[in-house]
Amino acid sequence: MSAEQRLETELRRFSTAPFDARPIATATERDLDLRLFRTTYLPSFVATEALEDNQRPVEADLAWLRLTTAGGTPTALGVLAVGTDPTAHVPGAYVQFVRYQGTDPDSPVIDQHELRTNLVGVATRLSALLSSHLRTRLAEGEGLFREEQLPDYPLEALRETCMNALMHRDYERSHAPVRISWFDDRIEVINPGGPFGQVRVDNFDRVNDYRNPGLARTMKALGYVNRFGRGIWRIHAAMARAGSPVPEFRVDGTSWSVILRKWPS
């Protein structure tokens, strides 16, 4: 069987699978960062002792973790998680960050970035980027004559919001990025893709389902999400602990948006 015939067979076989499990016909193993896979991804799934005894070729480990098919074609999960250039194969797989000096999109832009790399790279760069834009204020601490510096947004709520957007967005039908718009009074995070599976507009805060189950598993293994089905609760809890306004969730048939409002001065 030729390589083309094998790929056609794999595409037919995975046609009803979740998008992140399907082979990407335009990608080859050269599109995966094998060094990142060996040093960061694989150790998140395999104990150190087992890694030391691992004599399998990297191709076997890639297929075992479903980053490639058994025939060696990268899956969407492989491209998203450890791809060298995910947007070459999944056009919407990037994050757009814009910091405005004002409270509406017509305000001057003082910083903007497009994060066009794999999941590991995006998480690393996004953490640094969000932290760099946080501002702190003094608040009364516990005990006499004590003050503490608190950020204008709790980093936990920001991180949870952004990671959940990456996990739940629709990579298959939308070429739009996850958008993070940072205004003087709020942060808006919008991800393409409305409710999926059992989730509806009227129950999204109580019911869970996964458009990208392989990506969800990966993000939990890498430590980017803490527990499945707790994202909305954790965002609410982090904002409440910081004394910040209640987060707003806007859900329709094509997108989700989360609005985090700045701690009142």
Side-chain angles (χ1 to χ4, degrees), residues 32-148:
L32 304 181
D33 187 336
L34 298 184
R35 181 178 180 277
L36 178 66
F37 172 72
R38 292 189 187 96
T39 60
T40 302
Y41 195 95
L42 187 59
S44 297
F45 287 87
V46 181
T48 302
E49 297 80 4
L51 277 177
E52 292 173 351
D53 296 331
N54 183 17
Q55 301 298 319
R56 292 187 302 186
V58 67
E59 292 80 8
D61 285 329
L62 287 168
W64 171 58
L65 289 171
R66 301 179 184 177
L67 302 186
T68 67
T69 65
T73 302
T75 60
L77 175 60
V79 167
L80 294 171
V82 297
T84 56
D85 181 11
T87 56
H89 309 283
V90 184
Y94 68 102
V95 175
Q96 183 183 76
F97 174 92
V98 182
R99 175 67 168 96
Y100 296 93
Q101 188 175 36
T103 58
D104 62 70
D106 289 329
S107 302
V109 172
I110 59 176
D111 194 17
Q112 58 183 328
H113 300 269
E114 285 191 353
L115 309 184
R116 293 178 176 266
T117 184
N118 53 59
L119 177 64
V120 176
V122 166
T124 301
R125 293 179 59 189
L126 194 55
S127 177
L129 182 60
L130 296 175
S131 297
S132 71
H133 280 277
L134 287 175
R135 299 295 177 264
T136 59
R137 55 167 286 177
L138 288 176
E140 292 185 4
E142 296 182 4
L144 190 63
F145 303 123
R146 292 188 61 186
E147 290 183 329
E148 58 182 333

Side-chain angles (χ1 to χ4, degrees), residues 95-97 126 130 157-166 177-183 186-192 235 248-251 255-260:
V95 175
Q96 183 183 76
F97 174 92
L126 194 55
L130 296 175
L158 267 176
R159 182 176 57 246
E160 195 76 31
T161 298
C162 294
M163 290 298 103
N164 273 272
L166 291 173
V178 169
R179 291 191 174 94
I180 304 171
S181 301
W182 192 312
F183 300 94
R186 69 193 186 281
I187 298 170
E188 297 182 3
V189 180
I190 302 174
N191 64 306
I235 294 167
E248 301 170 29
F249 296 85
R250 299 178 182 176
V251 184
S255 67
W256 288 64
S257 64
V258 182
I259 300 174
L260 305 178

